[in-house]
Amino acid sequence: LLSDVRTYGGLLRPLYASSKDGWSFQRLCREILGWAGPTLLVARAGARTFGVLADEAWRDDRKPFGAGGCRLYTFAPAFAVARPRAGQSQDLLYLNTKGSASVPKGLIIGDGAVHVPTELGDARIKVGRSLAFESLALVDDATVRRDGGWVDVDELEVWAAGDAGALEAAAAGGGARVVCCTQTLAAGV
């Protein structure tokens, strides 16, 4: 999905690809929880390709986390960026693999802009409108209304973002915290 993406000095390294790794939520979590820096999650659903830039490392927690550097993107059919709304610069990311009756399981961005469920084997994710981010249609409104926003996904990928040193350290098991060159992506360029 990202073979043509340029990061202007930063690099991307694949962490998870449904085409190679299968539709496994456990595998997805293992890969993103093993990376100590920003990630770019990209999904293709028909003619639409959209994604999320998580500006800090993922963690398995019962509470949301994340700062104002997160972004929602559409890559196709047209490129667009949504930043967090004013006053919504905290708690934009959520990953919980344990869950309970009162705490949802899954990976959630914003207040439901993107929800990757633990039942990822169905190759479906939930996409909706988010009050936490500027308005951006990740998929068309008819798709959001139909089936409660559940979308059949053709491909799902997660990419580690960082400079060459950070990617090499992470590949070697160093788990370096990334001060990376995704500012261009985070700034929406």
Side-chain angles (χ1 to χ4, degrees):
L1 289 175
L2 290 183
S3 60
D4 296 326
V5 170
R6 295 181 349 194
T7 59
Y8 302 94
L11 300 173
L12 296 172
R13 179 176 69 88
L15 292 176
Y16 169 85
S18 60
S19 61
K20 180 181 71 113
D21 301 315
W23 291 97
S24 168
F25 186 77
Q26 288 179 333
R27 176 72 186 261
L28 169 70
C29 289
R30 185 175 71 226
E31 298 303 331
I32 66 174
L33 289 170
W35 174 246
T39 54
L40 183 62
L41 181 144
V42 182
R44 184 173 57 81
R48 296 219 176 235
T49 303
F50 55 91
V52 177
L53 175 68
D55 66 333
E56 63 181 74
W58 287 95
R59 61 182 181 259
D60 191 354
D61 201 335
R62 295 172 54 99
K63 296 182 181 180
F65 59 95
C70 297
R71 300 289 187 264
L72 299 179
Y73 291 91
T74 59
F75 297 103
F79 182 80
V81 180
R83 293 165 183 78
R85 292 185 190 273
Q88 293 290 324
S89 62
Q90 299 295 315
D91 299 336
L92 298 171
L93 305 172
Y94 176 86
L95 174 62
N96 188 340
T97 60
K98 297 161 192 72
S100 69
S102 62
V103 179
K105 288 173 60 174
L107 183 153
I108 302 172
I109 288 65
D111 53 353
V114 177
H115 177 193
V116 179
T118 56
E119 303 82 28
L120 189 55
D122 295 337
R124 293 172 61 99
I125 64 175
K126 191 170 188 176
V127 178
R129 298 288 182 188
S130 172
L131 298 177
F133 287 91
E134 297 169 345
S135 181
L136 178 65
L138 298 178
V139 295
D140 59 86
D141 287 335
T143 301
V144 172
R145 285 191 300 271
R146 183 177 58 243
D147 294 333
W150 289 100
V151 177
D152 293 323
V153 176
D154 302 311
E155 290 182 77
L156 182 67
E157 296 177 350
V158 180
W159 294 76
D163 62 22
L167 292 175
E168 288 172 16
R177 179 73 182 161
V178 178
V179 178
C180 77
C181 301
T182 58
Q183 287 91 359
T184 301
L185 281 173
V189 175

